[in-house]
Amino acid sequence: MHSLDEFHENGYVHVRGALAPELVEALLKGIDALPEERWKSVYAADEDIDQSNFRGRHARIFNAVSVLPPLAEAIDHSSVLPTLVDVVGENLQVLGSELFIRDSGETPLEPFHTDGGRFMRAVQLAPASAELQVKIQFFLTDVDQPDSGNFLIIPGSHRRKPKGVGRYGVIQETKDALRTAEYPEGTQQVLAKAGDAVIFSCGLWHAVAPNHSGRTRKSAIVRYGPLWSRPVDYVTQSPKVLDRMTERQRRLFGDLGEDPSFWEYYEPTGQTEILGLRGRTEARA
C-alpha cells in the first residue's frame, strides 16, 4: 500500500503489478480488435511535431470504457481504489477514459504539460488537501527501458506553477526538451511492466518520451474527480454500457439512480457500502 504522504510529496505513486496478466491480455485483445476509424490523432500540441502520418504513433480513443468493456474492471480495481479514495475522497467519479497507442519512430511524442486546462493550472492545493483531479495510467505493454515511449515526470512539480503555458497546457519553459533531449532537472522516465499503473495528480508536469524501442506502446488512462465534477468525454453513459457494469462501477460513472436530489452529488446514499469501504476510515473529513 502506498502512503498518502508519498503521493503528496511526489505527485504520483507507481503501483507495480496492478492488473493481472489475464486482464492485460483481454484489454490488448480488445484494443487490437477496434476498427481503424475509431482512432483519432492526438492534438498537435507542438508545432514542431509532424502528425501527418499518425495512426499508431500518437493516436487515442476517448470514452474508452464504452468500446472496451474489460476496462471497467481496471477502473475500480482493488490495487488502485484505496489510493484513489485516500487522494480524492470516497465521493469519487470517473471523469473520462482514454486509450493510447504510440508507435516507435524518430518523432518526439508529447511535450511537458499539465492536465485540466487553465482553471486547474491556477489551482495550488495545500499539501494535505484532497485532489480535484487525478489520473491513472495503466500500462498494457512493457516500457521497462528508457526511450520506449515512457511516461516522463518531474516528481514534486505539481506544487510548482509554470511560468508560461501554451495551447493544451504545454509548459513553455520546457517546450524544446524532447527535441533536444535536455530534460528539466529532476525528470524521470517511468520504467514500467505491462500491468503496472501510475496514479498521478493532473498538476504533475509530465510528457511522453520518444519511442526508439521498435515496439508500439499501448496504455489506458482514466481520469477521476469528485462526484460533483463534470465528466470530460461523456455526459452520461448509455444504459447499454452501464448494464454490463457492477453496482460499484456504475456509481463511479455517476449512476445515482432515478431522479436523485442535488445533495446526492455531495453525499451519495450508500457510497461507503457500494465502494466497499465499510470499516475503512475515509482519508478526508
Side-chain angles (χ1 to χ4, degrees):
M1 185 67 64
H2 295 273
S3 73
L4 190 58
D5 289 341
E6 180 183 355
F7 182 91
H8 283 318
E9 179 179 356
N10 297 320
Y12 78 100
V13 291
H14 186 168
V15 184
R16 290 176 171 81
L19 305 182
E22 295 78 11
L23 179 53
V24 172
E25 182 179 357
L27 289 166
L28 288 173
K29 184 177 179 180
I31 287 172
D32 291 343
L34 291 171
E36 180 78 18
E37 59 268 19
R38 285 202 176 269
W39 295 97
K40 305 297 182 184
S41 293
V42 178
Y43 48 73
D46 187 324
E47 63 185 8
D48 296 322
I49 297 178
D50 177 13
Q51 302 204 22
S52 61
N53 61 348
F54 287 162
R55 186 283 185 184
R57 178 174 293 171
H58 202 40
R60 75 188 339 158
I61 291 177
F62 287 110
N63 194 17
V65 73
S66 67
V67 297
L68 187 64
L71 185 57
E73 188 176 340
I75 280 168
D76 69 334
H77 199 281
S78 60
S79 63
V80 297
L81 185 60
T83 301
L84 286 170
V85 171
D86 284 346
V87 169
V88 179
E90 71 171 35
N91 188 8
L92 190 66
Q93 179 181 208
V94 173
L95 302 179
S97 56
E98 301 171 78
L99 300 175
F100 284 91
I101 49 177
R102 305 183 187 274
D103 274 352
S104 183
E106 294 303 316
T107 305
L109 291 178
E110 193 162 344
F112 279 95
H113 63 282
T114 59
D115 295 324
R118 188 173 301 172
F119 169 77
M120 289 296 294
R121 289 193 297 275
V123 173
Q124 296 290 296
L125 296 173
S129 175
E131 290 283 325
L132 290 178
Q133 286 190 20
V134 300
K135 284 184 173 181
I136 301 181
Q137 180 153 202
F138 294 101
F139 296 93
L140 305 178
T141 52
D142 290 344
V143 283
D144 52 355
Q145 298 296 322
D147 292 337
S148 300
N150 307 65
F151 189 41
L152 281 174
I153 57 173
I154 305 176
S157 58
H158 62 308
R159 301 296 177 199
R160 294 160 52 188
K161 190 172 182 179
K163 296 177 182 178
V165 179
R167 193 180 185 194
Y168 303 117
V170 173
I171 299 169
Q172 296 300 293
E173 61 205 86
T174 65
K175 183 177 180 182
D176 295 327
L178 291 191
R179 186 174 61 248
T180 63
E182 295 178 357
Y183 298 145
E185 183 178 357
T187 298
Q188 295 181 11
Q189 292 203 36
V190 174
L191 304 182
K193 301 288 282 186
D196 285 5
V198 171
I199 306 172
F200 64 100
S201 168
C202 283
L204 187 71
W205 298 19
H206 58 282
V208 182
N211 185 357
H212 300 156
S213 68
R215 304 185 305 271
T216 297
R217 196 204 86 177
K218 301 177 183 180
S219 64
I221 292 182
V222 184
R223 184 192 303 251
Y224 302 82
L227 186 57
W228 44 261
S229 299
R230 183 185 178 97
V232 299
D233 63 9
Y234 71 98
V235 177
T236 58
Q237 293 292 349
S238 71
K240 180 180 178 181
V241 173
L242 292 174
D243 284 349
R244 64 189 183 220
M245 293 182 177
T246 66
E247 182 182 24
R248 183 164 77 182
Q249 291 161 359
R250 291 196 301 273
R251 177 58 65 89
L252 287 174
F253 279 93
D255 182 9
L256 296 170
E258 294 185 8
D259 195 26
S261 74
F262 78 94
W263 196 248
E264 289 289 311
Y265 292 93
Y266 298 100
E267 295 185 11
T269 301
Q271 187 77 349
T272 299
E273 290 76 15
I274 290 173
L275 293 189
L277 300 173
R278 179 171 290 279
R280 177 185 175 87
T281 301
E282 187 183 1
R284 309 295 175 200

